[in-house]
Amino acid sequence: MSPHETTAGWAEEAVREHAGSPHPSREEQVLERIARARARKPRIREERITLSHGAGGKATHTLIEAVFLEAFRNPLLEPLEDGASLVTAAGRLAFTTDSFVVSPLFFPGGDIGDLAVNGTVNDLAMCGARPLYLSAGFILEEGFPVADLQRIAASMARAAEAAGVQIVTGDTKVVQRGKADGCYVTTAGVGMLERDVVLSAAAARPGDAVLVSGPIGDHGITVMLARGELDISADVVSDTASLHGIAADLLDAAGDGVRLLRDATRGGVATICNEVAVASGVAVVLEEKALPVRPVVNGAAELLGIDPLYVACEGRFVAVVAPEQVAAALAALRAHPLGEGAVRIGTVGEDPPGLVLLRTAFGGTRIVDLLVGDPLPRIC
Amino acid sequence: MRYVDEYRDGDKARALATAIAASCEPGRRYSFMEICGGHTHTIYKHGLEDHLPEAITLVHGPGCPVCVIPMGRVDDAIALAEQPDVILTSFGDMLRVPGGRGSFLDSKAAGADIRMVYSPLDALKVARNNPEKRVVFMAIGFETTTPSTAMTILRAEAEGIENFSVFCNHVRVVPAITAILDSPDLRLDGFVGPGHVSTVIGCEPYEFIARDHGMPLVCSGFEPLDILSSIHGLLQQFADGRCEVENEYARVVPWAGNPKALAVIDEVMEVRETFEWRGLGWIPDSAMRLRPEYARFDAEQIFGVPGVRVADPPACQCGEVLRGAIKPWECKVFGTACTPETPIGTCMVSSEGACAAYYNFGRFSRSRVKEATAP
Ligand code: SF4
């Protein structure tokens, strides 16, 4: 095809599109082909693990689905929610686990210890459960200062007490110097599902509102700056906190209107919205103007060339709520100290299914996709 | 952030959009190329095309530093990284660029010491902190970033740091524009000129485009309002029957450029006779290398780079995209075989690449979405 035919092709299509022709344009046909390609079962192509596989974006999803889901497939794992819900004689239990490799181990507003407790407590809270018991596993590098370990343990104990959970079992391994970076922590937790609600990424419906419990991106930017690799300093601290209290208040106030809760950790708010769009087969439309981002976080993110929508939080969550419960939900969130900055950031729509769109402050529209690659490694 | 928000204001954008629509001659179609990848990114990130009338088509040019690196240079860099005691430092954008045998990320996973840095000075810091290693900086970019590489070499010399070298892939924007102007499938009406590059080289080097090729150019800033007002400026020139180089970005770009930065480049580097560009082939005078006086900082001299030549994969249409001959989605492998996770071409890797920008931000039907998201 000569380039001139190509040009004429665009022009014709534009006119046809304008006339409201029901035939999809050539561009739309390409878009449909891409949507089909994306819906295919993910295959892992790399021969080795790269940092992208841990970033929470597309590569992480592919790894989980192609390796772990493939090997472990069962109905409890398959929904890939933050935790599994188990039916026992004693009632319904939520069960989850999470590993922490943050660097540096100590940063403004927290450390790997409270992160490890809050992370698992929050995964349980996001299932709608009351967190009860945690386990803690430590991988320590030869030469790691005992004083640092004591500091981490003390911070875990404080976080556990604040969250009303007990750390009831644990494990410790030490590896040779150079085979790990100081200290890694893995926690697992169980909680009781006492409410009669089913929260799921697949439950969103057109018309629902998308809420976030407060300013986003604080944790990721704090850790990034704490590494001191970038000569920027900013007045920002991690938002790490346990969310079971505020989540319970929200469920009390908006009950069956709450479709799902997700804490916006690795991959940020953008990743959660993508999970919702795909699992529910809906469009999620976000309003750029409504996104709560602190000016310092915005400024640092701009310098780093990253979008705050992808930056991890450790004490914020996204809630998708039925339209009639939005007012009650926002009121409940704002009444809690951790939710003073709660706002509505978007709406669930029908078309295009599986995509997240952002209406920019500038007045345009764009896609917010899953992240490829790894702009902020070892944030949690 | 206030300074930035001022250039992202939706109301101002709507006012400009109205002015742009009114400046279009009825029945006429316009194709404008934004040369710079930063502009391409801004256009998609802010959904700028929603403000343009259908008569205006934006064509994405070759100004993405990562996109123009040929596969052979990636392989050369990996060969450097595999030498004993070498740490290869690179901007994050380069990590996923596919070479003939994998990317930096693959090579890193296989054991090479490749580190991401934010600036050449960071790379120099790595050299300072690892005196027993040989640290190579993969230098890429147009004239925007060339001065900082040159300055870093001067700094290394001043500090007597001997374990630092640069694998120089700096390219020049004007020869690339010339190559596009000379390409047979050219069908453009004007250019949105690159802003950052022009802070260094100024606006004068573009005058031949208006004079010899009869196409206006408006040098534009990086905020979405800058780009809209540059497009408006181009249309005004058509309406007035003018054909000139204009400077929309005068708040940052001096007409004569930055003589200090140019002097630093000239001190350390010289123009290569020719350089291979991804998709565009060999372009005369289109890149820089270190002067012989600085050979001890030149990785190509120190290590004897293999000089690998790798033909672009047959499916890849990056050249046509970089020349603006096709839109990203018209490439046969776009979005199916070639995606940001599994890029075949470079335009899919960098956030400034046209294919990546379209795939990440623009992969939806604007006409359908307009109805669905109407407030
Ligand atoms: S889709 Fe891939 S191969 Fe095709 S032009 Fe774009 S980057 Fe190149």
Side-chain angles (χ1 to χ4, degrees):
Chain A
M1 183 191 291
S2 91
H4 289 284
E5 281 166 341
T6 315
T7 320
W10 300 350
E12 259 166 44
E13 261 150 40
V15 170
R16 204 158 10 95
E17 234 167 82
H18 215 61
S21 156
H23 299 292
S25 68
R26 214 153 50 80
E27 184 178 2
E28 281 177 341
Q29 288 171 18
V30 171
L31 295 174
E32 278 161 24
R33 200 173 71 211
I34 295 170
R36 281 198 302 276
R38 286 170 66 94
R40 263 184 240 138
K41 205 167 104 182
R43 220 159 33 91
I44 188 153
R45 289 163 209 254
E46 293 84 354
E47 281 174 19
R48 289 167 195 275
I49 295 298
T50 71
L51 286 171
S52 305
H53 290 117
K58 279 185 201 160
T60 307
H61 283 243
T62 306
L63 183 77
I64 291 173
E65 287 179 33
V67 178
F68 299 125
L69 194 55
E70 201 53 41
F72 308 149
R73 191 174 297 279
N74 64 61
L76 290 171
L77 176 66
E78 224 143 345
L80 295 178
E81 301 284 350
D82 279 351
S85 68
L86 319 172
V87 180
T88 69
R92 288 199 304 140
L93 284 183
F95 179 38
T96 190
T97 184
D98 214 337
S99 296
F100 297 82
V101 298
V102 66
S103 164
L105 296 170
F106 303 94
F107 46 84
D111 57 51
I112 192 170
D114 45 21
L115 214 57
V117 170
N118 291 337
T120 290
V121 165
N122 292 349
D123 281 349
L124 294 170
M126 295 298 109
C127 302
R130 184 161 61 88
L132 292 173
Y133 302 108
L134 262 50
S135 73
F138 296 86
I139 295 173
L140 306 173
E141 184 189 6
E142 180 189 14
F144 187 68
V146 171
D148 283 358
L149 191 59
Q150 280 169 328
R151 201 172 145 198
I152 291 167
S155 140
M156 290 177 81
R158 267 195 309 276
E161 192 185 334
V165 296
Q166 281 174 285
I167 300 171
V168 291
T169 181
D171 181 51
T172 308
K173 297 280 186 303
V174 177
V175 296
Q176 283 154 323
R177 193 186 293 272
K179 303 286 178 196
D181 185 8
C183 167
Y184 303 143
V185 184
T186 297
T187 50
V190 289
M192 286 303 285
L193 285 158
E194 291 156 335
R195 295 165 198 276
D196 198 17
V197 292
V198 179
L199 303 171
S200 157
R205 290 172 219 166
D208 288 352
V210 182
L211 317 180
V212 63
S213 66
I216 59 176
D218 294 4
H219 174 76
I221 293 293
T222 304
V223 172
M224 199 65 199
L225 296 181
R227 282 188 208 154
E229 289 164 7
L230 308 155
D231 293 319
I232 317 171
S233 58
D235 200 8
V236 54
V237 299
S238 168
D239 47 37
T240 177
S242 65
L243 295 169
H244 68 289
I246 183 172
D249 288 0
L250 173 63
L251 289 168
D252 287 343
D256 51 8
V258 180
R259 314 281 196 216
L260 76 117
L261 305 174
R262 280 278 168 111
D263 54 341
T265 54
R266 197 176 51 171
V269 170
T271 302
I272 296 174
C273 292
N274 270 284
E275 287 165 358
V276 171
V278 170
S280 299
V282 295
V284 173
V285 184
L286 302 176
E287 290 292 333
E288 188 172 45
K289 271 195 193 143
L291 296 175
V293 186
R294 293 185 207 279
V296 289
V297 170
N298 223 339
E302 184 102 11
L303 281 175
L304 293 168
I306 50 176
D307 188 333
L309 269 173
Y310 296 97
V311 180
C313 317
E314 291 293 336
R316 305 279 176 236
F317 65 101
V318 170
V320 175
V321 178
E324 48 304 342
Q325 302 278 12
V326 174
L330 276 175
L333 289 173
R334 287 175 186 157
H336 194 282
L338 289 174
E340 282 162 5
V343 282
R344 174 179 186 154
I345 57 169
T347 304
V348 177
E350 250 166 78
D351 197 45
L355 287 185
V356 180
L357 297 173
L358 179 76
R359 299 198 336 135
T360 67
F362 188 66
T365 305
R366 69 155 155 108
I367 286 183
V368 177
D369 211 343
L370 280 179
L371 205 59
V372 174
D374 190 12
L376 301 179
R378 295 186 58 190
I379 257 2
C380 55
Chain B
M1 286 307 288
R2 189 141 301 141
Y3 183 68
V4 163
D5 287 341
E6 194 184 319
Y7 295 97
R8 296 183 184 172
D9 183 291
D11 293 334
K12 285 188 191 152
R14 273 178 285 277
L16 256 174
T18 312
I20 285 174
S23 310
C24 290
E25 195 182 302
R28 179 164 179 187
R29 301 186 64 82
Y30 303 85
S31 285
F32 298 137
M33 173 178 278
E34 85 277 1
I35 296 160
C36 174
H39 285 155
T40 308
H41 182 79
T42 300
I43 287 165
Y44 281 104
K45 175 149 185 208
H46 294 276
L48 185 132
E49 284 177 320
D50 288 336
H51 286 304
L52 292 182
E54 188 220 305
I56 298 180
T57 305
L58 291 179
V59 179
H60 316 307
C64 156
V66 170
C67 305
V68 301
I69 299 292
M71 297 177 91
R73 295 294 275 190
V74 176
D75 287 1
D76 281 350
I78 290 176
L80 283 173
E82 285 168 351
Q83 307 241 8
D85 296 328
V86 165
I87 302 175
L88 180 72
T89 54
S90 155
F91 293 137
D93 264 10
M94 273 304 302
L95 295 183
R96 287 180 306 112
V97 174
R101 37 187 211 108
S103 65
F104 287 5
L105 220 50
D106 297 323
S107 166
K108 186 167 147 73
D113 194 346
I114 301 182
R115 302 190 191 173
M116 185 178 126
V117 290
Y118 288 88
S119 74
L121 279 177
D122 286 350
L124 188 61
K125 204 194 258 172
V126 175
R128 213 181 280 126
N129 294 340
N130 297 276
E132 73 294 351
K133 298 274 187 184
R134 303 187 287 174
V135 176
V136 180
F137 175 59
M138 169 90 187
I140 59 162
F142 287 83
E143 288 91 334
T144 330
T145 48
T146 317
S148 60
T149 301
M151 295 268 285
T152 305
I153 290 170
L154 291 179
R155 169 82 78 93
E157 184 182 45
E159 289 185 27
I161 299 180
E162 294 293 336
N163 64 330
F164 175 74
S165 64
V166 168
F167 182 43
C168 186
N169 296 281
H170 283 296
V171 287
R172 305 173 67 220
V173 73
V174 170
I177 299 177
T178 309
I180 293 209
L181 287 168
D182 291 342
S183 80
D185 43 13
L186 178 80
R187 28 156 226 93
L188 288 178
D189 298 289
F191 289 96
V192 174
H196 287 163
V197 167
S198 309
T199 58
V200 176
I201 67 170
C203 293
E204 272 163 8
Y206 308 122
E207 280 176 341
F208 77 100
I209 300 172
R211 192 181 58 231
D212 305 340
H213 296 268
M215 280 184 230
L217 178 145
V218 177
C219 187
S220 174
F222 279 85
E223 294 303 332
L225 273 182
D226 287 322
I227 298 176
L228 275 188
S229 69
S230 301
I231 291 170
H232 185 235
L234 287 168
L235 292 167
Q236 280 301 306
Q237 291 204 31
F238 283 107
D240 303 347
R242 288 181 292 127
C243 177
E244 298 167 357
V245 174
E246 280 182 320
N247 188 6
E248 185 275 341
Y249 202 28
R251 66 179 189 276
V252 177
V253 172
W255 188 263
N258 180 341
K260 269 194 200 142
L262 290 171
V264 172
I265 298 178
D266 190 51
E267 161 70 28
V268 180
M269 296 180 195
E270 62 188 13
V271 174
R272 286 178 199 255
E273 293 72 40
T274 184
F275 191 74
E276 186 187 2
W277 290 55
R278 177 88 201 229
L280 301 178
W282 294 85
I283 305 180
D285 298 335
S286 65
M288 307 301 290
R289 70 166 160 243
L290 268 53
R291 287 189 183 278
E293 298 90 294
Y294 292 91
R296 67 182 191 284
F297 296 105
D298 187 348
E300 283 174 88
Q301 304 286 333
I302 303 173
F303 295 94
V305 171
V308 180
R309 302 276 157 263
V310 183
D312 289 344
C316 165
Q317 291 183 271
C318 291
E320 284 150 272
V321 168
L322 288 171
R323 281 199 310 276
I326 61 169
K327 289 260 173 190
W329 56 266
E330 290 180 296
C331 172
K332 288 184 291 295
V333 292
F334 177 85
T336 47
C338 184
T339 65
E341 309 91 86
T342 56
I344 292 177
T346 40
C347 308
M348 197 51 106
V349 181
S350 161
S351 62
E352 297 193 351
C355 292
Y358 180 90
Y359 187 93
N360 289 331
F361 293 147
R363 195 187 66 235
F364 62 96
S365 161
R366 286 191 189 269
S367 51
R368 268 170 59 190
V369 161
K370 244 178 209 153
E371 292 158 32
T373 66

